[in-house]
mmCIF file of all heavy atoms in Angstrom:
data_model
loop_
_atom_site.group_PDB
_atom_site.id
_atom_site.type_symbol
_atom_site.label_atom_id
_atom_site.label_comp_id
_atom_site.label_asym_id
_atom_site.label_seq_id
_atom_site.Cartn_x
_atom_site.Cartn_y
_atom_site.Cartn_z
ATOM 1 N N ASN A 628 131.585 97.924 17.993
ATOM 2 C CA ASN A 628 132.230 97.620 19.206
ATOM 3 C C ASN A 628 133.662 98.101 19.394
ATOM 4 O O ASN A 628 134.551 97.432 19.846
ATOM 5 C CB ASN A 628 132.216 95.943 19.315
ATOM 6 C CG ASN A 628 132.519 95.533 20.720
ATOM 7 O OD1 ASN A 628 132.092 96.185 21.675
ATOM 8 N ND2 ASN A 628 133.093 94.366 20.947
ATOM 9 N N LYS A 629 133.811 99.292 19.074
ATOM 10 C CA LYS A 629 135.051 100.002 19.306
ATOM 11 C C LYS A 629 134.873 101.137 20.318
ATOM 12 O O LYS A 629 135.674 102.115 20.338
ATOM 13 C CB LYS A 629 135.668 100.484 17.977
ATOM 14 C CG LYS A 629 136.012 99.389 16.955
ATOM 15 C CD LYS A 629 136.664 99.942 15.762
ATOM 16 C CE LYS A 629 137.033 98.751 14.792
ATOM 17 N NZ LYS A 629 137.611 99.279 13.575
ATOM 18 N N THR A 630 133.811 101.094 21.072
ATOM 19 C CA THR A 630 133.567 102.189 22.112
ATOM 20 C C THR A 630 134.501 101.947 23.093
ATOM 21 O O THR A 630 134.794 100.886 23.595
ATOM 22 C CB THR A 630 132.103 102.016 22.531
ATOM 23 O OG1 THR A 630 131.177 101.929 21.465
ATOM 24 C CG2 THR A 630 131.740 103.287 23.464
ATOM 25 N N ASP A 631 135.075 103.128 23.636
ATOM 26 C CA ASP A 631 135.996 103.050 24.695
ATOM 27 C C ASP A 631 135.229 102.636 25.973
ATOM 28 O O ASP A 631 134.006 102.929 26.216
ATOM 29 C CB ASP A 631 136.592 104.581 24.921
ATOM 30 C CG ASP A 631 137.522 104.939 23.842
ATOM 31 O OD1 ASP A 631 137.981 104.010 23.191
ATOM 32 O OD2 ASP A 631 137.549 106.141 23.616
ATOM 33 N N GLY A 632 135.889 101.896 26.869
ATOM 34 C CA GLY A 632 135.396 101.416 28.115
ATOM 35 C C GLY A 632 134.753 100.060 27.901
ATOM 36 O O GLY A 632 134.919 99.322 26.934
ATOM 37 N N PRO A 633 133.859 99.682 28.892
ATOM 38 C CA PRO A 633 133.309 98.301 28.833
ATOM 39 C C PRO A 633 132.091 98.076 27.980
ATOM 40 O O PRO A 633 131.615 96.998 27.811
ATOM 41 C CB PRO A 633 132.882 98.126 30.290
ATOM 42 C CG PRO A 633 132.524 99.493 30.862
ATOM 43 C CD PRO A 633 133.505 100.489 30.081
ATOM 44 N N PHE A 634 131.673 99.211 27.345
ATOM 45 C CA PHE A 634 130.350 99.061 26.532
ATOM 46 C C PHE A 634 130.599 98.064 25.354
ATOM 47 O O PHE A 634 131.613 98.184 24.606
ATOM 48 C CB PHE A 634 130.027 100.505 26.020
ATOM 49 C CG PHE A 634 128.670 100.555 25.375
ATOM 50 C CD1 PHE A 634 127.479 100.833 26.104
ATOM 51 C CD2 PHE A 634 128.552 100.349 24.057
ATOM 52 C CE1 PHE A 634 126.309 100.799 25.480
ATOM 53 C CE2 PHE A 634 127.231 100.303 23.450
ATOM 54 C CZ PHE A 634 126.153 100.562 24.193
ATOM 55 N N SER A 635 129.565 97.219 25.143
ATOM 56 C CA SER A 635 129.677 96.379 23.995
ATOM 57 C C SER A 635 128.278 96.149 23.444
ATOM 58 O O SER A 635 127.301 96.053 24.130
ATOM 59 C CB SER A 635 130.179 94.978 24.631
ATOM 60 O OG SER A 635 130.178 94.011 23.549
ATOM 61 N N MET A 636 128.354 96.117 22.051
ATOM 62 C CA MET A 636 127.039 95.906 21.370
ATOM 63 C C MET A 636 127.134 94.600 20.612
ATOM 64 O O MET A 636 126.439 94.346 19.508
ATOM 65 C CB MET A 636 126.800 97.090 20.364
ATOM 66 C CG MET A 636 126.135 98.212 21.162
ATOM 67 S SD MET A 636 124.657 97.978 21.899
ATOM 68 C CE MET A 636 123.558 97.786 20.583
ATOM 69 N N ASP A 637 128.009 93.709 21.022
ATOM 70 C CA ASP A 637 128.034 92.349 20.448
ATOM 71 C C ASP A 637 126.676 91.667 20.631
ATOM 72 O O ASP A 637 125.967 91.923 21.581
ATOM 73 C CB ASP A 637 129.184 91.425 21.101
ATOM 74 C CG ASP A 637 130.536 91.899 20.592
ATOM 75 O OD1 ASP A 637 130.602 92.558 19.589
ATOM 76 O OD2 ASP A 637 131.533 91.490 21.324
ATOM 77 N N CYS A 638 126.361 90.804 19.733
ATOM 78 C CA CYS A 638 125.123 89.998 19.883
ATOM 79 C C CYS A 638 125.080 89.266 21.066
ATOM 80 O O CYS A 638 126.023 88.474 21.328
ATOM 81 C CB CYS A 638 124.980 89.185 18.619
ATOM 82 S SG CYS A 638 123.364 88.284 18.531
#
Side-chain angles (χ1 to χ4, degrees):
N628 196 28
K629 293 183 180 180
T630 310
D631 293 336
F634 189 89
S635 173
M636 284 297 292
D637 286 341
C638 183

